[in-house]
Amino acid sequence: MAQKKLSRSVLIGFAALLLLAGLSFAFWPRATMVDLAKVTRGDMRLTVNEQGKTRVRDAYVISMPIDGRLLRVQVSPGDPVTKDETIVARLRSVNPAALDIRTRGQAEAAVEAAEASLNVARANLEAARAEADLALSDLERTQSLADRGFASPAALDQAESLSRAAQARLATATAAIEQQEAQLRAARAQLIGFDDPDFYDVETNGSGEDRIIHAPTDGVVLQVIHQDETTLAVGSPIMVVGDIGEGLEVVVELISVDAINVGVGAPVDIVNWGGARVLSGIVTRVEPYGETKVSALGVEEQRVTAVIELSSPPEERQGLGHGYAVEAQIVTWSGQNVLKVPSSALFREGSEWAVFLASNGVADLRKVEIGHDNGQEAEIVAGLSEGDMVVLYPPADLLPGQSLEQRIVE
């Protein structure tokens, strides 16, 4: 019996030890798995990233110089053109508008009125000519009498005055003839119609040739607005021509708070344009006027237009044309040999910035002073040294003095 009681006590004691060991293992503090990064030195820059589009700096819109019929355009987008040599469009003068019965009646009445006015003017001219002849005859007779002393100087002066007045009325009557003839031609022009046998010869000055338009600049055809033959009014656009090789630039619309930090001369990297190379550029203009634009999320934003000149040679941006979408990275600040740390290691400790430093496998809270931060890296002004290991994305329950274990990414 005594041996059985001893064995039971041993078993109970052994079980208690096992239970205590299990509880100790379960509640024993374990190291927190974290990602670590090293504090390094290197180049760093601050950029404003924004979507933009390309455009030709000097795009020429070729339009109709007169009301006329545009013949089919023979050039296509992408075709090269030479200034004052390449024919880009041909056109003909437009036919006159067809007159309805009322309008034609009014035009015919206007012609009759102009003819009657011309007849009146001709009669007035004959009367003025006769009056001028009579006044001249009186002047010659008075001059002869005055020479022989039979007419007074006053009579001679009066005769000269009457003669000059008659000549002036004759000149007025002659000018009235020209005026009435012009009005008659204008009235008859209103009656020109499709069946007029002389219309087409008059419109083409007897040459029968189409009017042509040459390219206003060297470059390529960017867009053809009207390809097929059609009738257009004066000023209607036909096509757009420009030089993609030398005159291509990028336009971006910056949020006004970002545009404050962008200045003329700032370097720019053009990425995500479809090519393998990163294109370079420079800001040439930041417009002082902001406009309200609605974003894709429906938020109203104040946008400011910035113009970027591409400095990469044309052979490095083959295929990039007018109106293409690109992404511009405008450099607002850059530094060399900067002590930097990943931005994901920073967090707020009260009103200051702080990081968790991994020191001998233990978390050490370290307050730091930062400079520039581009969202990926932050400049360290004070608090850390090159080569220090910091915790990335520190957990909210991480405490100073807690054991750390680096997570291994397979």
Side-chain angles (χ1 to χ4, degrees), residues 115 151 204 243 245-246:
E115 291 175 345
T204 58
D243 186 1
E246 299 297 335

Side-chain angles (χ1 to χ4, degrees), residues 22-59:
L23 293 174
S24 299
F25 180 78
F27 291 99
W28 192 265
R30 297 183 180 179
T32 302
M33 300 293 293
V34 294
D35 295 320
L36 300 179
K38 184 180 294 186
V39 179
T40 60
R41 285 189 177 275
D43 297 340
M44 181 181 170
R45 66 179 190 174
L46 202 62
T47 62
V48 174
N49 302 336
E50 192 60 65
Q51 295 289 331
K53 65 179 181 180
T54 60
R55 73 177 183 188
V56 173
R57 184 184 305 108
D58 297 320

